[in-house]
Structures are given as structure tokens and as C-alpha cells.
Amino acid sequence: MSSRVTLPELGRMKRAGQRIVSVTAYDYSMARLFDQAGVDILLVGDSLGMVIQGQENTLPVTLDQMIYHAAAVTRGAQHALVTCDLPFGACHGAGERVMDAAVRVLKESGCQAVKLEGGVRMAETIRYLTERHLPVMAHVGLTPQSVHVFGGFKVQGRGEEQAARVLEDAEAVAEAGAFAVILEGIPATLASEVTARLAIPTIGIGAGAGCDGQVLVSYDLLGLFEGIQPRFVKRYLEGGEAIREAVGRFAREVREGTFPGPEHGFDP
Ligand code: KIV
């Protein structure tokens, strides 16, 4: 695979109408496989709180945990741009404080960018970071860190008033210097309108086909996460079934005494 995807390259892809492909990654081995599959952006999402840690939502995830996973993903990625979520609590407060957290992420993990949730309310923070050349991906619509404010993982941007708010959020983060924006859990027509209005790429998840790119949580795409199953997920593999079958076969062979065979041992 050629050299690493860059911020200017993502802008060029939007202008050329070339769709951007993104998946979440949390560890070295998976990151390596996704990278070899030609993914453009590996997102170290704080969804790891749910799919890796088994938490109810993303709120308990810490900055140290994000850095730990982002470092592993970065070691597996030759081609994809690696972007790491700033977890709940790390992007609140003054720009300098958020900058310190974001600098730690880039320095300690080696990834190329951070992502943070929020529109108008985060625009000033995004500007603080981007003016200091720290690449920021934004995230608006159904922002999972706001789960308690929304009263659950609920679709956003329905109705004129809410739609106007999402549009305003997307425009604010683009104007503040974000290099791309995730549009999550909003009506497809609204996502298409946002995409047409913005000069930066939009990456959709549960936002229809009119975005400049798409992202899915890899554990959903691969059928490995058996918790909440949002309607927008398409499973490209029944990974859970495949793993149960493989480990079940291993267990049977151990119990029958047919594994290990002579070929798995060492000569004296
Ligand atoms: O945390 C995450 O995985 C995300 C994606 C769902 C966009 O933010």
C-alpha cells in the first residue's frame, strides 16, 4: 500500500467525489488487517468502552486508555490516517487544557489526529487546537458522550428546528478548522444537505449514503459485538459465530485428547 493518507488527500477525495472509508480499531492485529484492506481512516473510538470493556456507554473511558489503544493501532497502520477520540471529560474546559490532552495523544501514541464530539459548543476549542496545527476531526448529531442529555442513543436532527441545529453545528466545526466531521444518527436528507454545504469531508454513520464517506464500529461490521445493534449497522461477517465454532472445536479436541498432535510438539 502507498504512503499514509493525509489531511489534504481527504479534502482532495471529497472534491473528486471519491468516497472515504473508515472503521474503528482498538488493537495492533486488527488495525493491521483493516489497513491492509485499504481503509483510509482508522478511528480509535471511545466506543472501545462498550465493545472492549463491556461498559454501558462511552463515558467511563479515560485518556490513558485511549492513548494505550491508539499506540497499538498506530503500530499496525502503514497507510491509514489514525485518529483518536478525546474521551468524555478530556475536551471540556479551556483550550489549553484540551490542547494538553490532545498533545499527549499525538506524542504518546504516534497517531495523526484527534476527534472530539460537539458542534457550536466545541467550536472555540476546535479553533484553539487547529490554529496550533493540531488536526481535529469533529463529530455532530448523535454524539454518544451526550447519551444522558439525549435520554438514550436517539436519532438527532428530526424536524426543522433540530435539523437547523445540526446544520449550524456542522458549519461551526468546519469554520473552526476541523478537517472532517462525523455525522452520526441523523436523517439522510439532512446529512446530504450538510455534505453539500461543507467544504470539508463528512463521514456518516447512520446518516445515509449522501456523505463523503462512511464509518462503522468494526466490532459491529464483523459481528463481534452482540450488545446494542443499531439499525444502521450492516454485518459483513458473523464473527461471533465463527469464533464460538473455532474455540468450541479446540475445546472438543483438547477434551478428546486429539490436540495437540505429534506435529505440534518438539523432538527430544
Ligand atoms: O467511538 C466511536 O467509535 C465513534 C464512531 C461511532 C464514529 O465515535
Side-chain angles (χ1 to χ4, degrees):
M1 192 66 66
S2 57
S3 58
R4 193 179 300 283
V5 173
T6 61
L7 270 52
E9 173 69 2
L10 294 171
R12 189 205 60 75
M13 287 171 80
K14 174 175 176 114
R15 291 188 294 280
Q18 207 177 320
R19 293 276 162 98
I20 297 164
V21 180
S22 179
V23 291
T24 64
Y26 315 106
D27 70 85
Y28 166 80
S29 299
M30 289 279 205
R32 197 158 173 273
L33 294 172
F34 301 159
D35 194 64
Q36 288 168 353
V39 165
D40 301 306
I41 301 174
L42 285 174
L43 172 63
V44 187
D46 60 359
S47 51
L48 68 85
M50 298 170 78
V51 304
I52 302 290
Q53 299 178 345
Q55 313 273 10
E56 260 182 39
N57 54 51
T58 60
L59 303 192
V61 177
T62 67
L63 185 63
D64 285 343
Q65 290 166 351
M66 291 307 302
I67 292 172
Y68 172 87
H69 287 278
V73 169
T74 303
R75 286 192 285 271
Q78 301 284 308
H79 165 75
L81 181 98
V82 181
T83 299
C84 176
D85 263 342
L86 287 184
F88 182 67
C91 36
H92 304 138
E96 278 163 54
R97 181 175 171 267
V98 183
M99 184 78 187
D100 285 348
V103 165
R104 267 199 71 201
V105 171
L106 262 65
K107 277 187 186 285
E108 294 178 34
S109 77
C111 77
Q112 288 82 43
V114 297
K115 173 167 85 60
L116 55 84
E117 296 184 8
V120 171
R121 70 188 162 85
M122 293 307 294
E124 204 183 313
T125 305
I126 294 173
R127 192 183 318 281
Y128 189 94
L129 268 54
T130 58
E131 278 179 351
R132 287 157 182 79
H133 284 192
L134 201 138
V136 178
M137 178 185 270
H139 186 161
V140 304
L142 197 184
T143 44
Q145 290 175 12
S146 306
V147 60
H148 297 314
V149 177
F150 296 152
F153 295 107
K154 298 204 172 129
V155 173
Q156 300 296 302
R158 280 191 167 134
E160 262 179 47
E161 203 180 305
Q162 267 205 28
R165 209 171 308 144
V166 171
L167 189 52
E168 207 184 322
D169 279 337
E171 286 180 331
V173 296
E175 204 271 320
F179 69 87
V181 57
I182 302 268
L183 303 179
E184 178 165 357
I186 62 170
T189 46
L190 174 58
S192 297
E193 189 186 342
V194 172
T195 302
R197 291 244 202 147
L198 298 192
I200 60 169
T202 61
I203 316 285
I205 172 162
C211 300
D212 297 307
Q214 297 289 327
V215 60
L216 277 180
V217 169
S218 51
Y219 274 50
D220 288 336
L221 180 161
L222 297 173
L224 296 173
F225 183 62
E226 297 178 332
I228 301 171
Q229 290 295 292
R231 159 195 166 98
F232 56 75
V233 168
K234 179 169 173 183
R235 287 159 84 122
Y236 287 81
L237 182 72
E238 290 304 327
E241 282 308 309
I243 288 172
R244 266 190 292 272
E245 201 279 320
V247 177
R249 197 144 44 90
F250 167 68
R252 263 195 316 281
E253 291 186 7
V254 169
R255 291 182 183 122
E256 291 164 1
T258 53
F259 177 85
E263 70 277 25
H264 303 117
F266 302 101
D267 292 334

